[in-house]
Amino acid sequence: MPERVLFTIDGAPAEGEAGGSLLAALWNAGRLAVRSSVKGEARGPLCGMGTCFECRVSVDGEPHRRACLETVRAGMAVSLRDSRASAPEGSAPGAAEPPPDDRAEVVVVGAGPAGIAAAVHAAEAGARTVIVDEQRRPGGQVWRGEPARAARAWLERLERSGARVIAGATVVDASRGELLVVQGDRPLRLRFDRLVLATGARELFLPFPGWTLSGVVGAGGAQALLKAGGRFEGRRAVVAGSGPLLLAVAALLERAGARVVGVAEQAPLARLVAFAASLWRAPVRAAEGLGYAARLAGVPYRPGAWVREATGDGTIERVVVTDGRREWAWGCDVLACGFGLVPSLELPRLLGCATTAEAVLVDARQGTSVPGVFAAGELVGIGGASQALATGAAAGLAAGGRPVPPRLAAWRDAEAAFAARLAHAFAPRAEVLSLARPDTLVCRCEDVPLDLLRTAGSAREAKLRTRAGMGACQGRVCGPALARLRGFGADSVRPPLVPVPIRDLLGDLTSPAGEAGGPGPRIA
Ligand SMILES: Cc1cc2nc3c(=O)[nH]c(=O)nc-3n(C[C@H](O)[C@H](O)[C@H](O)COP(=O)(O)OP(=O)(O)OC[C@H]3O[C@@H](n4cnc5c(N)ncnc54)[C@H](O)[C@@H]3O)c2cc1C
Ligand code: FES
């Protein structure tokens, strides 16, 4: 039984699991909404993984902390009242101390399966290796919470490899040869000879009427909350959107005591059948799918169906689902909805790595267009944990100065073929790209409705005219949505990658290397 600790929410006593996630503790205390938007709407968590910034609260007087990345501590004072502003202003006082320096031959960013495999292989090849991740512990999206046996083996191998893990630390700036990392309120300059990027993916959220109601979370968001200790017993949940994650999440919710009212998968039945038939080439994945189906026996599963609208008085009460011919309503307390994954390309783009709209371009050694910088995992194709391990191992070997063996290369190629089949099967249909009405908010951070974006022809114009994409999440949620809804290409990426207190940036600028104005982008 995990130890319980006491803390306060706006002065009122609350209880959480020692070492557990603050977001889960707030959720379990019934706080589905934790902040107010710029126009005063109550908002709650969407992504559960640090992307959407909808879970910002004040912790011990420090505003704009993402509750999903915070650990509950005894006596911590959490305030939901102080976290009402839109973007963090970066005005925290403090001395402009230069950040301490650290150095490694190989630095890996991202401690999901790809980053872990890369760090293990680089360290085992004899390179002094550091791995950095903004989550509270290594594992990435799939190995959160209680890791399965295969995952535990990788985590133990990471420990034995001698690679140093820096957890709870976000990379906010990068240039050739160094990273600026912020851990809590401490900045750190991390220099490297070779860099492996393994920053993974996030969910694709497509706006629909009601998607900002409290209780509407991502499908992966619900999973992240559950794995962080969020309780769903007795809650009625609808799972919707697209991708194999929906079944995994629905099964997990059922196991956690939720009543799954229905699953709506937008992909048409014919594509799902073709995809399932192709799984004879991936028996482990086929078995996983069958396991979920067995757990969900009796739960309505609707292929070719999507949520048209969510309604409720501040908090979700029901969803209207359609298959294009007829509509029906499902009453629920939680809607877990995500339309697949998009890679987190900000850091590779900041470093100048060549990318397509959907991936970092790499060669046979996972090398990017920038010498000494490698990429792996969901960054090079959305393919799941096995693909992440294959590409991560190859990137780690290459960064450690070793060749990529033919068997590993063949595994990686098979995973790439699976990723292509996945993308085809679950591509969003036209109808889910036109769910937003003129008054539906597209940019949640700045409360920008679709109507205001009508005349913008690019992501840059949308920013300049409406502030869409300029809020705390810096376009991580609305950017991929607008790319699909309006065909906008990605805007240029500038540091810092996430809002950080000004003192951290000042510390960077006043450091000796900052004065020397080293190569690559600088914080300005
Ligand atoms: C919410 C969610 C849930 C998922 N659930 C499943 C599942 O149940 N089963 C499954 O097979 N697949 C799941 N996936 C897909 C999953 O992404 C892959 O299977 C696999 O985890 C990919 O591994 P990766 O190492 O490429 O990326 P990830 O596992 O996503 O790891 C990337 C890591 O990079 C870190 N990071 C990113 N940017 C920075 C930065 N600037 N500074 C520091 N750290 C950073 C992140 O914190 C993260 O831990 C999920 C994906 C998402 C987004
Ligand atoms: S829920 Fe914490 S950032 Fe999205």
Side-chain angles (χ1 to χ4, degrees), residues 168-244:
T170 306
V171 174
V172 299
D173 190 13
S175 59
R176 293 188 188 176
E178 68 181 55
L179 303 174
L180 178 64
V181 180
V182 176
Q183 189 180 33
D185 53 5
R186 287 191 310 277
L188 168 74
R189 182 186 304 280
L190 196 48
R191 297 176 200 274
F192 58 84
D193 299 327
R194 270 112 41 220
L195 179 67
V196 179
L197 301 173
T199 49
R202 53 183 180 257
E203 279 188 276
L204 171 63
F205 298 110
L206 296 173
F208 54 86
W211 76 304
T212 55
L213 289 170
S214 308
V216 178
V217 294
Q223 186 196 46
L225 247 167
L226 259 164
K227 289 184 176 178
R231 288 199 295 269
F232 285 76
E233 296 99 329
R235 288 187 171 154
R236 295 166 307 155
V238 169
V239 181
S242 201

Side-chain angles (χ1 to χ4, degrees), residues 463-490:
K463 274 185 183 173
L464 294 176
R465 289 190 194 165
T466 69
R467 287 190 59 81
M470 291 184 75
C473 90
Q474 302 193 345
R476 283 174 172 78
V477 174
C478 68
L482 282 170
R484 282 153 185 83
L485 265 57
R486 301 290 312 279
F488 291 175

Side-chain angles (χ1 to χ4, degrees), residues 30-371:
R31 303 301 188 112
L32 268 55
V34 298
R35 74 173 199 100
S36 297
S37 76
V38 284
K39 296 216 172 118
E41 269 189 18
R43 290 285 169 73
L46 180 68
C47 74
M49 57 174 278
T51 298
C52 71
F53 284 71
E54 288 282 37
C55 65
R56 276 173 290 150
V57 297
S58 288
V59 175
D60 295 333
E62 181 99 23
H64 304 300
R65 310 295 304 201
R66 284 169 284 174
C68 63
L69 300 182
E70 291 286 328
T71 300
V72 180
R73 284 174 281 103
M76 80 196 294
V78 177
S79 172
L80 311 188
R81 282 195 290 261
D82 301 344
S83 280
R84 301 200 175 249
S86 129
E89 296 297 333
S91 57
E97 288 293 322
D101 265 17
D102 208 337
R103 154 152 231 119
E105 285 168 85
V106 175
V107 169
V108 180
V109 184
I116 291 174
V120 161
H121 281 86
E124 288 176 355
R128 205 149 34 80
T129 304
V130 166
I131 179 167
V132 186
D133 199 294
E134 68 180 352
Q135 299 293 329
R136 298 177 302 126
R137 49 184 82 100
Q141 301 313 327
V142 61
W143 293 346
R144 284 163 176 276
E146 275 298 300
R149 206 167 52 176
R152 273 205 310 276
W154 274 103
L155 291 165
E156 283 160 19
R157 192 168 160 193
L158 176 67
E159 222 174 287
R160 285 195 308 273
S161 72
R164 190 154 62 84
V165 179
I166 306 181
T170 306
V171 174
V172 299
D173 190 13
S175 59
R176 293 188 188 176
E178 68 181 55
L179 303 174
L180 178 64
V181 180
V182 176
Q183 189 180 33
D185 53 5
R186 287 191 310 277
L188 168 74
R189 182 186 304 280
L190 196 48
R191 297 176 200 274
F192 58 84
D193 299 327
R194 270 112 41 220
L195 179 67
V196 179
L197 301 173
T199 49
R202 53 183 180 257
E203 279 188 276
L204 171 63
F205 298 110
L206 296 173
F208 54 86
W211 76 304
T212 55
L213 289 170
S214 308
V216 178
V217 294
Q223 186 196 46
L225 247 167
L226 259 164
K227 289 184 176 178
R231 288 199 295 269
F232 285 76
E233 296 99 329
R235 288 187 171 154
R236 295 166 307 155
V238 169
V239 181
S242 201
L245 190 57
L246 300 192
L247 283 183
V249 171
L252 203 61
L253 282 165
E254 278 273 315
R255 206 172 63 193
R259 185 162 79 75
V260 179
V261 181
V263 179
E265 162 60 66
Q266 63 87 39
L269 180 62
R271 283 204 184 175
L272 296 177
V273 170
F275 178 73
S278 77
L279 285 183
W280 64 267
R281 281 175 271 196
V284 176
R285 288 179 170 120
E288 236 176 77
L290 288 174
Y292 296 143
R295 177 163 282 282
L296 293 169
V299 171
Y301 178 80
R302 302 280 183 256
W306 56 94
V307 169
R308 192 177 61 69
E309 181 178 23
T311 56
D313 185 10
T315 301
I316 189 165
E317 288 165 17
R318 60 173 217 150
V319 292
V320 178
V321 185
T322 179
D323 59 9
R325 294 181 303 277
R326 57 191 190 97
E327 284 186 359
W328 63 95
W330 278 331
C332 61
D333 310 305
V334 176
L335 167 61
C337 184
F339 290 87
L341 304 179
V342 287
S344 296
L345 294 172
E346 290 77 15
L347 186 53
R349 285 194 171 135
L350 181 62
L351 280 156
C353 302
T355 66
T356 65
E358 299 295 335
V360 179
L361 294 172
V362 288
D363 60 23
R365 286 166 53 78
Q366 301 298 130
T368 69
S369 62
V370 176

